[in-house]
Amino acid sequence: MSYVALKMLFGDRAKYLMLLCGLTFAVMLIVQQGSIFWGLMIWSQSSISNLNVPIWVTDPGIAQVEEVKPIADTAVDRVRSVPGVEWAVPLYKGLLRARLTNGEYHQITLTGLESSTLIGRPAEVLGGRFEDILQPDAVALDQWAVERMGGPTVVKVGTIFELNDKLARVVAIAKTQKSFTNVPVVYTTYERAIRYVPRERRTLAYVLAKPKDGVPVEEVTRRIRQETGLGAFTDEEFSWKTISWVLKNTGIGTNFGTTILLGFIVGMAIAGQTFYLFTVENLRQFGALKAMGASTLTLAWMILLQAFTVGLTGYGVGIGLATLFGFLTARGGGLPFVETWQLLLLVLIALLAICTFSALISIIKLARLEPAIVFR
Amino acid sequence: MKAMSDDTQPAAVRARGIVKSFGTGDTQVTVLKGIDLDVYLGELLLLVGESGGGKTTLLSAIAGILDIDEGDIDVFGVPLSTLPAGKRTTFRGQTMGFIYQQFNLLPVLTAAENVAVPLLIQKAARPEALHRARIMLDRVGLGDRAEFLPKNLSGGQQQRVAIARALVNEPRLLICDEPTAALDGPNGQKIMELLREVGRSPDRCVIVVTHDSRIFHFGDRMANLTDGRIVGIERIKQEGTA
Ligand SMILES: Nc1ncnc2c1ncn2[C@@H]1O[C@H](COP(=O)(O)OP(=O)(O)OP(=O)(O)O)[C@@H](O)[C@H]1O
Ligand SMILES: [Mg+2]
């Protein structure tokens, strides 16, 4: 009877396409919104992932990566002395204003890397040599800084600007993941960074560290917390901490959650309604099948097969369209769009729920159907 | 052998004291008010009567697709009321064939596929079912229309497809509700000839509800259902064999 069920489904082309469109739309909306949402979450922690170090140490009360709570300079040595720590280096991170020669001001994030190792440096460079930041007054920018500060004609390798009335010369452009706030990042050495900023009592934002080979990173962070009284997080922990802070303190979670729920409900309504209509219009035919000896179980199987066939087709097409959208708009990392298998799995479950719901109301209708209607 | 209505032979369908009402309270109408009826193997029984008299209701009851309020119906010795719903559906699929005024073919299936449906319901393999369906279409004279969709067939042809579908399972009881009502005279005659032939076979019987006096001569007996009761059963004189 599967054959008959599928012929009934595809035979009514108009209704089939309408069903397919409804489900495709729902899947596309959920995948697209979900991917943008996840893309934004990834962006919110990109100052962690861009540095790519295993352990972050700072004030234990820290809520998220952008909220800098400086600690005492001695923290670096204290972390170094914790057993199981391979190395530990200081990181400067702070907001500053840059003044271009054309008179424009831009807020920037100044990132100061330890000069002997440059640990935390971006992996890829789009122009210049990153090591050149060791030269006097030299800094590197990320590609988003170029974009924000006026484009490659205004800002390029060799451009000179001012940080707190002190000279900065661009020697490299680094490739990084865009951040949520999209504040331009200026890289320099730790020592030079604290010379750029106004005098403060504490300048050390983070200590970056790595565990010795064979020592689990969780174990080392636990020891650092215990022996120094500081906050120590694996990069993954710190990312999640940052993401959950963003979710709690901005409307992003609610906003996207609402859209996704709406997609789910609209998809459910369209699919459920169309499918129900489809069944009701074929009621005589189902009645005839029942009169010919088809059990309710057989009819239920037919309905489920129809629902899941159109559902899974809609799933495929919907994901295809959403992915195409993501590919076209988010090429080059300018828009947030991160499609993960977890999201696709979640959408699959949601879709199966929609299909089961749609099929169920039809099955209930058919179970109650008196085959006697076929005589009328 | 011609069994006809030999009273010594057990009835294929035996209905006793059938009562059926619809609705409740003031709007309640009792449609069947105590029906006794026997149908024998090898015969074609005509069921006639005024419109709204309850003929379709009686057919539905005999088919086991409508629950009755009182009475007993045995079909080939099986009391329908003792069968649970699922078993009754299977029993119906194996022993009965149906022909309706409105044909009720599945519009998206070809003639052959439509005929194969009862076999598919019984879980036959598709190639085997289609093969048997084509043989059956041949027997109703539509061998060359097997791949046509119902919408591309005439009314008479559609009803012949429906008959092939009703017969493909070799049912022993064929139930027809006004099978010629949607057809013109000559087409109706052809359909009845087919049903007549089926009814003649000694291990089968056919019940035909009709208003159409032009086809009365195809019956062996005619039962008149009026105001919820069988008011008379007469044997029809056969003018030679068709
Ligand atoms: N499901 C139902 N609910 C309520 N009343 C019904 C139902 N089915 C039939 N009836 C009523 O039962 C009566 C008999 O109907 P039935 O269809 O059996 O008559 P019929 O003899 O087949 O008529 P016709 O020759 O016009 O087909 C009618 O008054 C009809 O309105
Ligand atoms: Mg009727």
Side-chain angles (χ1 to χ4, degrees), chain A residues 29-337:
Chain A
L29 191 70
I30 299 176
V31 170
Q32 192 233 36
Q33 292 293 308
S35 297
I36 292 180
F37 168 74
W38 192 240
L40 281 175
M41 289 306 103
I42 296 290
W43 279 10
S44 75
Q45 57 80 65
S46 48
S47 1
I48 300 168
S49 54
N50 275 335
L51 264 64
N52 192 26
V53 293
I55 297 175
W56 290 66
V57 182
T58 185
D59 187 283
I62 192 120
Q64 47 112 353
V65 65
E66 308 297 344
E67 178 206 33
V68 174
K69 286 193 168 180
I71 50 180
D73 292 347
T74 53
V76 181
D77 285 330
R78 282 157 67 209
V79 173
R80 277 178 186 151
S81 66
V82 172
V85 171
E86 165 107 21
W87 49 250
V89 295
L91 177 78
Y92 179 84
K93 186 175 165 70
L95 286 174
L96 226 65
R97 281 202 311 170
R99 183 176 177 277
L100 301 185
T101 47
N102 62 13
E104 276 182 32
Y105 283 96
H106 291 276
Q107 188 164 54
I108 56 108
T109 297
L110 186 63
T111 300
L113 306 175
E114 200 259 346
S115 54
S116 64
T117 57
L118 295 183
I119 277 169
R121 59 174 285 183
E124 251 185 273
V125 172
L126 297 172
R129 279 172 16 107
F130 197 85
E131 300 75 18
D132 289 350
I133 65 169
L134 296 173
Q135 296 171 6
D137 299 332
V139 298
L141 304 180
D142 68 355
Q143 87 225 61
W144 312 110
V146 176
E147 194 186 283
R148 283 293 297 274
M149 289 157 72
T153 50
V154 180
V155 180
K156 48 184 179 278
V157 173
T159 300
I160 289 172
F161 62 96
E162 282 176 12
L163 288 172
N164 261 346
D165 300 330
K166 298 183 184 79
L167 209 62
R169 183 167 49 91
V170 179
V171 294
I173 310 289
K175 185 169 183 229
T176 59
Q177 184 167 56
K178 199 168 177 172
S179 82
F180 188 56
T181 50
N182 200 19
V183 176
V185 177
V186 175
Y187 292 94
T188 183
T189 62
Y190 183 80
E191 295 74 11
R192 185 130 18 81
I194 54 183
R195 267 189 279 128
Y196 275 128
V197 296
R199 275 197 109 47
E200 288 179 49
R201 199 169 58 85
R202 289 176 159 186
T203 49
L204 182 60
Y206 291 98
V207 178
L208 307 177
K210 181 181 176 296
K212 283 205 169 86
D213 282 349
V215 190
V217 65
E218 290 81 11
E219 171 61 20
V220 176
T221 52
R222 200 185 54 77
R223 282 187 208 160
I224 296 174
R225 275 196 297 270
Q226 221 164 40
E227 300 197 8
T228 65
L230 293 166
F233 314 95
T234 68
D235 57 346
E236 203 174 314
E237 274 170 4
F238 202 31
S239 291
W240 280 113
K241 202 173 168 63
T242 300
I243 287 175
S244 64
W245 184 88
V246 170
L247 280 181
K248 265 186 228 137
N249 292 277
T250 67
I252 294 177
T254 332
N255 265 331
F256 280 87
T258 312
T259 315
I260 289 171
L261 192 71
L262 222 63
F264 182 72
I265 291 172
V266 168
M268 180 112 92
I270 296 182
Q273 161 122 336
T274 316
F275 200 73
Y276 182 71
L277 271 178
F278 181 76
T279 308
V280 166
E281 269 178 28
N282 287 314
L283 219 50
R284 280 187 79 83
Q285 307 183 11
F286 283 115
L289 293 177
K290 234 180 168 177
M292 283 187 271
S295 63
T296 302
L297 206 69
T298 305
L299 297 186
W301 159 249
M302 291 175 70
I303 295 283
L304 283 171
L305 181 68
Q306 291 176 340
F308 285 111
T309 301
V310 66
L312 291 177
T313 313
Y315 181 70
V317 179
I319 285 180
L321 289 178
T323 308
L324 187 70
F325 167 88
F327 177 74
L328 292 179
T329 57
R331 238 176 337 185
L335 273 176
F337 193 94

Side-chain angles (χ1 to χ4, degrees), chain A residues 376, chain B residues 22 31 50-57 178 211:
Chain A
R376 254 168 249 134
Chain B
F22 289 109
V31 177
E50 66 196 9
S51 180
K55 303 181 295 294
T56 298
T57 307
E178 314 210 20
H211 283 118

